[in-house]
Amino acid sequence: MKLPQFTNAESFRAWRSASARWLPIALDIARSHGLDISSPHVFATGTNLVIGLGETLILKIFPPLLHAQFVSERGSLTQLAGRVHLPIPEIVAEGMRNGWPYLVVTRLAGTLGSEVWPSLPEAQKERVLRQIGETIAAVQRAPLGTLAQIQPRWDDFMRAQMQGCKARHTRLCLAPKFLAGLDDLLRDAAALIPMDAPPVILIGEYIPENFLLACHDDQWSLAGLFDFGDVLTGWRDYDLLGPSAFMAAGRPDRVRSLLEGFGHEKLDFALKRRLMALMLLHRASDLNSHICIEGWQERANDLVALQDLIWPG
C-alpha cells in the first residue's frame, strides 16, 4: 500500500474526498506504531488526512506538497509544549510513509467551538473572548525556537500581501466603495505595521473551528487549542483578526474583552487602522465571507467607517 504523489492541491483534494482510497494505508501506519485501530473516525473537513483513533489519539498525514504545514505543526506543538496554560495536542509518534510525513497526537477533550459559540449567552461570549485574548498573548510569550526558520519571513510576507492586496479583493468582489480606500490604507499600513520588530508566534486562525470549549457550573471556557499548520512569525496584532471578524461581531463589550485579554488597553484610531489593514492583508482575507456583522456592507460607506464598525469604541 503506497501513498501517491500529487502535483497540485486540486487533485489531492479530489483523491482525499474518497477515504476508502487512503484509510487502509492510514490504519497500516497506526498499526505499525502498535496503536488501536478498532474504531477509526475519518474527519471529512480539514486540509490533510486526519483520522481519529479511538477517543484518545489522532493521526495526521501530510502530502508532500503541504510539507510546510507538517513543519509548522510539528514545530509549534514542540515549542509550545508546557508553555501555555491551555491544553494543546502532544506528539505521541511521528514518521514518514512514501514521502508523506505524519504525526500521531493526543486528542483533546471538549466541544468544538463552532458547535457552541452561536448559542452562548452574551456574557459568556465576552468571557470566552477575554480568554482567547489571554491565550494569544500567552502563545506569543513563548520563544520562537525552530519556528524562527518558518518561511516566509514577516517583512517578505507583508510586502507580498501589500502588492497583491488590491487584485485579491477586486477578484473577491469587495464593494467599490471599499476598494476606493485601499491605496490610502496601504500607504498607512507601511507606517503602522512594524516590519522589523521582534517577531512572535502567530497561529493565524483563532477561530471557533480551531478551539474546544468545556462547561463547568454553567460557565463555558476555553478547553483546548489545535491546528497549527499555518503558523507564521511576525507582528503580534495579526492574531486578533480571526476573533475580531468571526466572533466579536462589532459588539463593543466583546471587542473590549478580546483586546483587554490580549493586553491592549486603548483602542485608538491608529490601532483600528492597523487592524483594518492587517485584516485586508491576512493570507485568508475575504471580507465578504468573514465579517460576521449583519448588514455591514450597507452600514459602512468606506474603510474608515468599516474599521469603526468592526472595532467600536
Side-chain angles (χ1 to χ4, degrees):
M1 294 184 290
K2 287 190 175 183
L3 289 163
Q5 299 298 313
F6 296 96
T7 57
N8 59 73
E10 290 75 20
S11 59
F12 166 64
R13 283 195 294 267
W15 178 82
R16 184 196 64 192
S17 65
S19 60
R21 298 169 176 168
W22 53 264
L23 182 58
I25 305 174
L27 296 181
D28 189 58
I29 290 172
R31 192 183 300 109
S32 73
H33 288 278
L35 304 177
D36 181 8
I37 61 170
S38 60
S39 55
H41 170 72
V42 174
F43 290 90
T45 58
T47 306
N48 300 287
L49 310 182
V50 184
I51 310 95
L53 302 172
E55 298 297 320
T56 60
L57 296 176
I58 287 178
L59 169 62
K60 298 186 71 171
I61 309 172
F62 303 77
L65 57 85
L66 297 177
H67 187 267
Q69 290 200 1
F70 167 76
V71 172
S72 173
E73 183 97 9
R74 183 184 184 278
S76 299
L77 294 180
T78 301
Q79 194 62 23
L80 295 175
R83 290 191 168 100
V84 290
H85 61 281
L86 197 66
I88 63 172
E90 298 177 14
I91 299 175
V92 173
E94 60 182 284
M96 185 86 69
R97 174 69 67 92
N98 307 128
W100 294 50
Y102 62 82
L103 294 171
V104 179
V105 300
T106 54
R107 188 169 184 172
L108 303 178
T111 304
L112 192 64
S114 55
E115 297 178 6
V116 179
W117 177 256
S119 62
L120 289 184
E122 191 62 26
Q124 296 203 32
K125 288 184 176 179
E126 294 167 20
R127 167 190 170 89
V128 170
L129 277 165
R130 183 176 295 275
Q131 293 173 346
I132 289 173
E134 293 168 350
T135 298
I136 296 172
V139 168
Q140 294 184 354
R141 286 193 293 269
L144 298 184
T146 59
L147 295 176
Q149 307 305 317
I150 289 282
Q151 297 295 325
R153 290 171 50 91
W154 176 251
D155 54 348
D156 294 335
F157 171 67
M158 273 291 107
R159 291 189 180 97
Q161 294 300 100
M162 288 178 184
Q163 289 174 3
C165 183
K166 195 161 191 175
R168 176 189 181 90
H169 290 289
T170 300
R171 183 178 72 253
L172 293 172
C173 299
L174 186 63
K177 63 181 179 180
F178 300 124
L179 288 173
L182 265 183
D183 289 338
D184 289 341
L185 183 64
L186 291 173
R187 184 170 56 250
D188 291 349
L192 288 170
I193 300 173
M195 295 293 184
D196 55 1
V200 298
I201 297 172
L202 301 174
I203 304 302
E205 293 185 329
Y206 285 92
I207 57 177
E209 289 79 7
N210 289 347
F211 59 74
L212 298 171
L213 297 174
C215 187
H216 301 286
D217 298 326
D218 296 324
Q219 293 290 316
W220 286 90
S221 300
L222 280 183
L225 182 67
F226 62 94
D227 195 350
F228 298 88
D230 294 311
V231 163
L232 287 170
T233 63
W235 180 247
R236 60 196 299 260
D237 289 351
Y238 184 82
D239 266 349
L240 291 170
L241 306 180
S244 291
F246 288 92
M247 304 173 71
R251 303 284 187 93
D253 289 340
R254 293 191 203 177
V255 171
R256 182 167 54 251
S257 295
L258 171 66
L259 295 181
E260 287 180 356
F262 180 70
H264 277 320
E265 297 181 358
K266 183 180 179 182
L267 179 58
D268 56 16
F269 178 84
L271 177 55
K272 293 183 186 184
R273 193 69 168 162
R274 180 163 61 245
L275 291 173
M276 188 73 253
L278 286 168
M279 183 170 283
L280 285 155
L281 295 169
H282 194 282
R283 65 174 16 155
S285 181
D286 180 358
L287 270 59
N288 289 329
S289 298
H290 295 163
I291 295 179
C292 295
I293 301 175
E294 187 173 354
W296 65 268
Q297 293 94 334
E298 291 74 38
R299 294 169 61 186
N301 290 323
D302 55 32
L303 289 176
V304 174
L306 182 57
Q307 69 195 33
D308 285 334
L309 186 64
I310 300 172
W311 297 281

